[in-house]
Amino acid sequence: MMRGIWERLAQTDGPRGEQANTASEPLAVRPCRGLRESDVFDFGVLDSLADSVAVVDQEGVIVAVNRAWREFAVNNGAPALAEASIGTNYLAVCRQAGDHPLGEEATPVEAGIRAVLSGERPDFSHEYPCHSPAEKRWFQVTVTPLHGSRGAVVTHHDITRRRMAQEVSSRREEEFHTLAEALPQMVWATRPDGWNTYFNQQWVDYTGLTMEQSHGHGWIVPFHPDDRGRAWDAWREATETGGVYSLECRLRRADGVYLWWLIRGVPVHDGAGKVTKWVGACTSIDELRTALERASEAQRAKDAFLSRMSHELRTPLNAILGLAQVLHMGAEARSAGENRRHLQTVLDAGWQLLRIIEDILDLSAIETRTVDLKVGSIDLGACLADCFELIAALARERGLEFRWMDDAWRGVLIRGDSLRIRQVVTNLLTNAVKYNREGGRITVRGEQTEGGLRILVSDTGPGIPERRLASIFEPFEGLAQRSPGVSGAGIGLCVARRLTELMGGTIGVESVPGQGSTFWIELPRVGDSAHENAAGVEPVAPGISVARPGRQKAPQSLSSSAVNIIRNES
């Protein structure tokens, strides 16, 4: 605008008379239209100002300019205008400058000067650019009434440094917002007093709050009620001390679910060390906390397993050592039958100890991927016959009814390792015996499925709480771990799961507390292309399938015939 005015001034006929030669001469004054010199300036005060000042009378005619005004004219290539502008109507110049490409700011200035001169406004201020080919500049024009007269003082103040600082700050703010929107975290910013002024889109998407709802202290809304007090206390302390704000808390998602977040914020200081704002981010730590909790639970389970394992190993060893000492000290004094009973107890304890050690070795081999599997076509009926005969004897000893579908496996060929299949099925059957109720029932049946053949082992025991179903196959989380008075290392189901998966099958459980449980394994049939190739079966690990009661559609049963084995003792 000012360059446009200077160009208009250059085209305006100034007063005739002698023209000043330098811009360093004292204040130039031309009293006119009744404006006395004593009313305008005293003691050359305006000449001491760094701002460019012009005094206009009540009609807008320039009656005086100060030294800074003249120096600006000289420094901007218009030394002839240093004094020539006196006597020129400033309002007319502004009006004419409006047609200049750089003079669009002149129109509001003209209106502001008129408003002050007429008394409509007490003062007027306006910021405008005044760029030269060499640099960018900004000025602030201020118009105030001249006390004791009807004129006004027009001041042009150079605000280039402030505007450049504002531009830098604005660019940095824009860059910050761009970066914040690109981050996966929720990013925020506040005033020095903690009043929130910014959240990125991640916050809006997660919390479901609008920007308007989040501004100010609206950020506290999604905090879990149990965490709000801690959040307020930590934030108050940070803003009072200027320290880092750090807090782990739960924030409500838009769907009402609370997840864990780490919130951190730091103050931003100016050159003088004063806090100008706070910036921070919310980082999701829900998965990390879940993993840590699971690791902690696994460690506790491992500790419990080691404690139980030491007991399980010590019990048969004590029996072996104790009875061996008894036999050693007085074998001649006892009958042959009594000695045989003691020897049988020693053998039973030895076999129990061997089973525990074999479970541990199996789990170790599976974990280190050194387990030996011989996968091929298996006649399932022949494979399971020995298992059923063994469990039938155990069931009779416990007074349990044992049923299995004797023709369910006839002619059925599956893919697997016969030794490992017997091991897995025997584990499920043994558990059905150990965890059954007095006079209960065990049922084994086969069912066709889309992926192969399913073997189901059902009992009438106490059942398993739903909260434990998902972890029942995890290491150190077996049935024995939660069943006082029942022997076992608690890793049999874990071994069963891993072996089943290595053979390309799945394992799962359904249970109703108070009614019983059904454990099942599903193995691929021979001819199932999903599990076969030219070289044989490719082991896969499809994972664990856990079904809730009533949610799983039962496959079609292969057979309904049963053989009942019932305890018959006097």
Side-chain angles (χ1 to χ4, degrees), residues 223-531:
F223 278 72
H224 192 281
D226 295 342
D227 298 336
R228 289 180 182 174
R230 294 190 300 113
W232 271 118
D233 293 342
W235 182 235
R236 188 179 301 109
E237 180 180 357
T239 54
E240 290 176 356
T241 63
V244 175
Y245 176 62
S246 182
L247 179 72
E248 291 186 11
C249 61
R250 290 157 291 181
L251 298 178
R252 187 184 63 238
R253 203 166 56 191
D255 60 1
V257 176
Y258 284 92
L259 299 179
W260 282 95
W261 293 79
L262 170 63
I263 305 177
R264 285 181 60 85
V266 295
V268 178
H269 301 87
D270 60 15
K274 183 180 179 181
V275 176
T276 59
K277 64 179 352 180
W278 285 78
V279 295
C282 307
T283 304
S284 176
I285 58 171
D286 196 74
E287 293 184 0
L288 175 61
R289 285 184 66 98
T290 301
L292 291 175
E293 290 174 1
R294 288 177 178 174
S296 179
E297 291 176 359
Q299 184 62 42
R300 289 193 296 270
K302 181 179 178 181
D303 293 342
F305 164 77
L306 293 176
S307 174
R308 187 181 184 91
M309 182 60 64
S310 64
H311 171 76
E312 294 295 332
L313 293 174
R314 189 181 298 112
T315 299
L317 279 175
N318 287 339
I320 293 171
L321 293 174
L323 289 174
Q325 289 176 343
V326 170
L327 291 172
H328 177 71
M329 289 187 296
E332 299 82 0
R334 289 184 296 274
S335 66
E338 187 176 359
N339 285 335
R340 280 195 298 272
R341 286 195 299 272
H342 288 326
L343 286 173
Q344 185 61 49
T345 303
V346 171
L347 287 173
D348 291 343
W351 286 116
Q352 180 184 352
L353 183 60
L354 179 61
R355 284 193 297 271
I356 294 173
I357 294 174
E358 286 178 342
D359 280 346
I360 296 174
L361 291 176
D362 279 340
L363 181 59
S364 175
I366 293 170
E367 294 292 345
T368 57
R369 299 182 181 275
T370 58
V371 64
D372 184 24
L373 287 178
K374 296 180 176 61
V375 179
S377 298
I378 305 298
D379 183 333
L380 189 58
C383 177
L384 297 181
D386 293 341
C387 300
F388 294 158
E389 292 297 336
L390 172 63
I391 296 304
L394 293 176
R396 281 194 297 270
E397 294 177 4
R398 288 283 310 276
L400 302 174
E401 180 183 355
F402 178 51
R403 298 181 179 182
W404 82 83
M405 312 306 174
D406 60 345
D407 62 348
W409 329 107
R410 293 176 184 176
V412 177
L413 296 180
I414 61 171
R415 284 288 182 182
D417 182 315
S418 60
L419 178 62
R420 298 301 184 179
I421 291 174
R422 282 195 293 268
Q423 179 180 345
V424 172
V425 174
T426 299
N427 178 273
L428 300 183
L429 291 170
T430 303
N431 285 341
V433 172
K434 288 196 297 184
Y435 301 101
N436 217 319
R437 60 177 171 82
E438 188 70 25
R441 183 175 63 254
I442 301 172
T443 304
V444 182
R445 67 185 190 277
E447 296 176 342
Q448 289 181 342
T449 65
E450 182 178 353
L453 180 71
R454 180 171 294 187
I455 306 167
L456 301 97
V457 178
S458 302
D459 62 57
T460 54
I464 305 168
E466 185 173 356
R467 67 179 185 278
R468 290 203 53 222
L469 289 177
S471 62
I472 199 70
F473 296 99
E474 295 298 324
F476 322 125
E477 291 287 343
L479 295 171
Q481 297 298 95
R482 305 294 178 89
S483 304
V486 179
S487 63
I491 58 175
L493 286 176
C494 176
V495 172
R497 181 195 71 169
R498 302 293 179 84
L499 290 175
T500 302
E501 291 175 351
L502 287 174
M503 290 186 290
T506 56
I507 189 169
V509 59
E510 300 175 10
S511 186
V512 178
Q515 298 183 24
S517 303
T518 296
F519 284 84
W520 54 264
I521 63 170
E522 184 174 322
L523 296 169
R525 291 187 302 268
V526 171
D528 189 344
S529 60
H531 298 277

